[in-house]
Amino acid sequence: MEFSIKSGKSEKQRNDCVIVGVYESGKLSHSAQSIDEASDGFVTKILKHGDMDGKVASTLLLHNVKGINGDRVLLVGLGKNGELTDKDYRKAVISSVKALAKTGANDVAIFLAEVDVVNAENKKRDIRWKIAQMVEAVNDALYRFDVMKSKKHKAEKEVTKGINSLEVHVSEQDDNQAKVALKQGLAVSSGVSLAKDLGNLPPNICTPTYLAEQALLMVKSHGLEVQVLEREELKKLGMGSFLGVAQGSVQPPKLIVLQHLKGKKDQKPVVLVGKGITFDTGGISLKPGAEMDEMKYDMCGAASVLGTFKTIAEMDLPLNVIGIIPTCENMPDADAIRPGDVLTSMSGQTIEVLNTDAEGRLILCDALTYAERFEPSAVVDIATLTGACVIALGHHASGLFSNQDHLAKELLYAGEGSLDRAWHMPLWEEYQPQLDSNFADIANIGGRAGGSITAACFLSRFTKKYDWAHLDIAGTAWKSGKEKGSTGRPVPLLTEFLKNRAAKI
Ligand code: BES
Ligand code: MN
Ligand code: ZN
């Protein structure tokens, strides 16, 4: 899909289709009004006849509209005038491109960036936000994963269907800003798309070795520095906890370290740590069979780190950012760790493994200790860590935990700005005793109560030396059921967070 920024009148555009917005009250957006005037009140007449009620994201396709240059007009509902929320704006954009998917309209002009959009605090979103969100929403809606299908959707007929050029219209005075926003939206889309692809790939292909290879490919294409640490080096570092999880698999573990150093030399980096379990069987504490295939998504934290690095590289973001990805498989095996085993982590703390299915924290804790050497300004880990987080928050918000309220606030704000939201959960001392062990310094599980909180408490034992936040993305990284597939979250949130940090420096 090609995007471009254009200025001009809606009725003059010679595209296959022109997309304009209408409200529930029958009021027209500025560009719908122009078409109405050029066509002798045709749009008003249609609305009067009741063929289109203007409800958010409803659509009506019109052919042969007299007095205008385009072949078709697509009316898109924007709800009540003045009340279009940011989420509804996204919905309207997506439904308009979906409505054209099965038509012959390839070359389309969209006039939705001109409408007012309000955020949760009733403040108007600016042109940059509207353009970037539009691009991200369109790419998100048009994403397909068919590399593993033997017959691709490439039958000739299919190729001619659907939009291949989208001209995003803005007023002339907004042209420069819109072009910047377009670039940023495209960069986020490409990071999201990478994260989705990695998540959706089957676990027999997307192994720890594959993830490391993908990271190494980004050295040339994106100017990153990448290092891959092998088992021997991890042993030398004393990563007994990470290696414990990895020992049940024939796939060798990898610790991938990415460096995007585009800030000032003395600027302390932000470190992103992503859980990269390429398949989680549960290990000896084997998971039940139902939906176990979805545990290929247990590397979505890692995928979001790789995706975010792709995005910030494309943006050339002036900030120092380090990525750390511990990646391995969690398999049952003669060599696998058992419930009752005690592991010694890189920090020196010993861990009693009471459940081998609580493996994410076991690989993350060593990566979090490794992060200390970068003297970070902040560390954010991203992990599909607990089923309990899905029970607590469902599939809309990622769980957010932090040892610093100001860091939590920054991430919450970035989530609101990118429409990739998180919700602040407690990390109180009162929960810590649930991790007491009779046989080691700490147990790897804390019982059923507050499972996502005790998982975060476990990680907090390894993050005392820096400002740290943890995003539990178990409910947000992928969708189940008919729409099964990776969402690419939280690449938008992380990018927004890093962008905001870069702007403050
Ligand atoms: N990767 C899972 C968490 C998960 C489960 C995410 C289901 C999304 C859907 C994690 O490794 C895990 O198995 N956690 C256990 C922890 C428990 C043993 C304390 C869980 O959530 O059941
Ligand atoms: Mn598990
Ligand atoms: Zn897991």
Side-chain angles (χ1 to χ4, degrees):
M1 166 82 88
E2 281 290 318
F3 290 87
S4 54
I5 301 293
K6 289 270 157 70
S7 298
K9 296 202 159 98
S10 53
E11 72 277 16
K12 300 281 186 218
Q13 305 309 309
R14 298 187 175 278
N15 305 66
D16 297 339
C17 186
V18 177
I19 301 174
V20 294
V22 300
Y23 293 94
E24 257 178 52
S25 56
K27 185 181 171 323
L28 306 179
S29 65
H30 176 72
S31 294
Q33 180 81 39
S34 305
I35 287 179
D36 193 50
E37 282 162 19
S39 63
D40 235 353
F42 187 60
V43 178
T44 316
K45 238 178 266 165
I46 296 247
L47 295 179
K48 268 214 184 106
H49 289 169
D51 290 353
M52 162 84 179
D53 57 13
K55 288 237 158 60
V56 172
S58 60
T59 58
L60 183 68
L61 186 61
L62 310 174
H63 293 270
N64 301 321
V65 179
K66 301 242 155 52
I68 72 156
N69 290 339
D71 290 343
R72 305 170 183 77
V73 173
L74 182 75
L75 302 181
V76 187
L78 301 176
K80 293 203 174 72
N81 187 15
E83 290 178 17
L84 185 67
T85 65
D86 38 25
K87 276 165 235 97
D88 285 346
Y89 170 74
R90 231 185 125 97
K91 273 191 207 154
V93 168
I94 290 173
S95 79
S96 61
V97 294
K98 284 203 167 156
L100 296 177
K102 293 206 170 100
T103 71
N106 304 139
D107 162 25
V108 174
I110 184 164
F111 286 80
L112 292 182
E114 66 185 31
V115 306
D116 282 348
V117 179
V118 293
N119 70 8
E121 282 151 20
N122 224 14
K123 291 213 179 84
K124 279 188 195 167
R125 294 290 196 182
D126 61 13
I127 189 72
R128 280 202 188 198
W129 186 93
K130 288 189 279 187
I131 298 291
Q133 273 297 327
M134 181 184 285
V135 173
E136 290 171 40
V138 169
N139 281 324
D140 192 58
L142 298 182
Y143 173 87
R144 294 282 170 281
F145 184 78
D146 51 18
V147 288
M148 304 312 298
K149 304 226 189 213
S150 59
K151 288 195 193 98
K152 309 270 182 286
H153 284 285
K154 287 209 172 110
E156 258 174 54
K157 262 191 191 159
E158 290 272 339
V159 173
T160 56
K161 292 269 186 217
I163 311 175
N164 53 35
S165 160
L166 192 64
E167 296 179 0
V168 182
H169 276 258
V170 298
S171 67
E172 263 170 43
Q173 81 215 35
D174 284 339
D175 187 76
N176 281 337
Q177 291 224 52
K179 282 183 177 145
V180 173
L182 168 60
K183 269 200 181 160
Q184 305 226 320
L186 288 174
V188 173
S189 294
S190 90
V192 165
S193 171
L194 172 65
K196 286 185 183 179
D197 284 347
L198 293 172
N200 288 330
L201 277 167
N204 58 330
I205 291 181
C206 187
T207 59
T209 303
Y210 182 89
L211 284 180
E213 284 166 3
Q214 295 311 300
L216 287 167
L217 284 177
M218 287 166 73
V219 176
K220 274 207 181 132
S221 61
H222 288 80
L224 300 175
E225 278 177 49
V226 177
Q227 237 187 318
V228 178
L229 307 193
E230 307 288 336
R231 197 192 308 260
E232 280 312 307
E233 292 151 283
L234 304 179
K235 263 190 206 153
K236 277 187 206 141
L237 286 165
M239 293 196 176
S241 186
F242 177 21
L243 288 170
V245 176
Q247 78 192 30
S249 169
V250 294
Q251 295 293 337
K254 310 275 171 183
L255 187 82
I256 307 168
V257 182
L258 307 139
Q259 311 211 20
H260 167 102
L261 302 175
K262 297 283 172 72
K264 290 222 176 78
K265 257 209 159 138
D266 59 349
Q267 178 196 104
K268 293 190 166 176
V270 174
V271 178
L272 304 179
V273 179
K275 172 179 173 183
I277 295 287
T278 60
F279 196 75
D280 182 9
T281 63
I284 297 298
S285 313
L286 193 66
K287 285 184 181 294
E291 281 132 41
M292 207 209 273
D293 65 291
E294 295 187 9
M295 283 299 115
K296 72 174 182 178
Y297 290 115
D298 213 17
M299 36 56 72
C300 282
S304 77
V305 173
L306 289 166
T308 301
F309 269 76
K310 186 169 175 133
T311 299
I312 61 172
E314 287 182 12
M315 285 178 175
D316 212 14
L317 192 75
L319 196 71
N320 293 337
V321 190
I322 307 275
I324 305 176
I325 297 174
T327 173
C328 68
E329 270 187 336
N330 187 23
M331 299 291 273
D333 183 79
D335 244 356
I337 48 170
R338 302 149 278 256
D341 280 5
V342 174
L343 303 174
T344 303
S345 67
M346 184 180 174
S347 72
Q349 295 176 85
T350 58
I351 304 162
E352 186 186 11
V353 179
L354 288 174
N355 190 319
T356 65
D357 197 11
E359 86 298 339
R361 60 198 82 179
L362 295 176
I363 72 168
L364 286 168
C365 68
D366 282 341
L368 289 165
T369 301
Y370 188 77
E372 287 172 10
R373 68 186 53 209
F374 298 106
E375 293 178 35
S377 61
V379 177
V380 181
D381 79 72
I382 308 100
T384 48
L385 203 63
T386 63
C389 190
V390 190
I391 303 303
L393 296 175
H395 299 288
H396 301 292
S398 302
L400 167 64
F401 303 81
S402 181
N403 61 10
Q404 293 293 332
D405 267 353
H406 67 85
L407 179 58
K409 279 197 186 119
E410 256 182 281
L411 287 157
L412 288 173
Y413 184 73
E416 294 289 343
S418 57
L419 299 191
D420 180 5
R421 294 194 292 174
W423 189 255
H424 197 177
M425 303 277 283
L427 191 67
W428 300 331
E429 279 304 312
E430 287 89 327
Y431 292 96
Q432 292 283 355
Q434 285 179 240
L435 294 171
D436 287 351
S437 160
N438 286 352
F439 304 103
D441 297 339
I442 182 175
N444 82 326
I445 55 170
R448 271 169 57 79
S452 69
I453 303 170
T454 51
C457 284
F458 181 93
L459 298 178
S460 76
R461 306 276 184 113
F462 301 84
T463 61
K464 298 216 159 117
K465 299 200 174 137
Y466 46 69
D467 292 2
W468 159 75
H470 156 62
L471 286 165
D472 193 331
I473 58 166
T476 53
W478 76 92
K479 290 181 184 164
S480 308
K482 243 184 119 187
E483 290 191 352
K484 194 189 286 180
S486 185
T487 61
R489 292 177 68 181
V491 171
L493 181 158
L494 294 170
T495 303
E496 185 78 7
F497 165 70
L498 296 172
K499 254 173 59 183
N500 293 346
R501 280 225 157 188
K504 261 191 265 162
I505 288 170

